Amino acid sequence: MGKLFIIGIGGTTRPGSSSEQALQLALAHARKLGAETQLFGGPELQMPMYDPATANDNELARNFIA
């Protein structure tokens, strides 16, 4: 079994929000326990996620989908 990979998805588009800070703490703890993590928060959430026709035109959306 490979290393656990955890993706954290913030709940707001505002960078540095309290929920994003809490998520960063949780992901940091997961890394200490050996997991690999990635955070999608603040600016990474500002994308056309409700318009599939344009999602592939946006680098942030492509990274999120991948």
Side-chain angles (χ1 to χ4, degrees), residues 1-65:
M1 187 167 172
K3 184 184 273 193
L4 185 63
F5 182 63
I6 300 172
I7 296 174
I9 302 172
T12 178
T13 58
R14 188 170 51 85
S17 68
S18 57
S19 62
E20 187 174 306
Q21 291 177 37
L23 181 55
Q24 288 174 341
L25 288 172
L27 292 176
H29 185 68
R31 284 191 301 276
K32 285 182 185 177
L33 296 175
E36 183 179 346
T37 68
Q38 182 171 357
L39 171 66
F40 288 96
E44 291 88 10
L45 296 176
Q46 295 178 358
M47 65 180 100
M49 60 191 313
Y50 297 107
D51 185 3
T54 62
N56 288 326
D57 296 336
N58 182 298
E59 183 179 353
L60 295 173
R62 286 193 305 273
N63 289 338
F64 186 80
I65 290 167

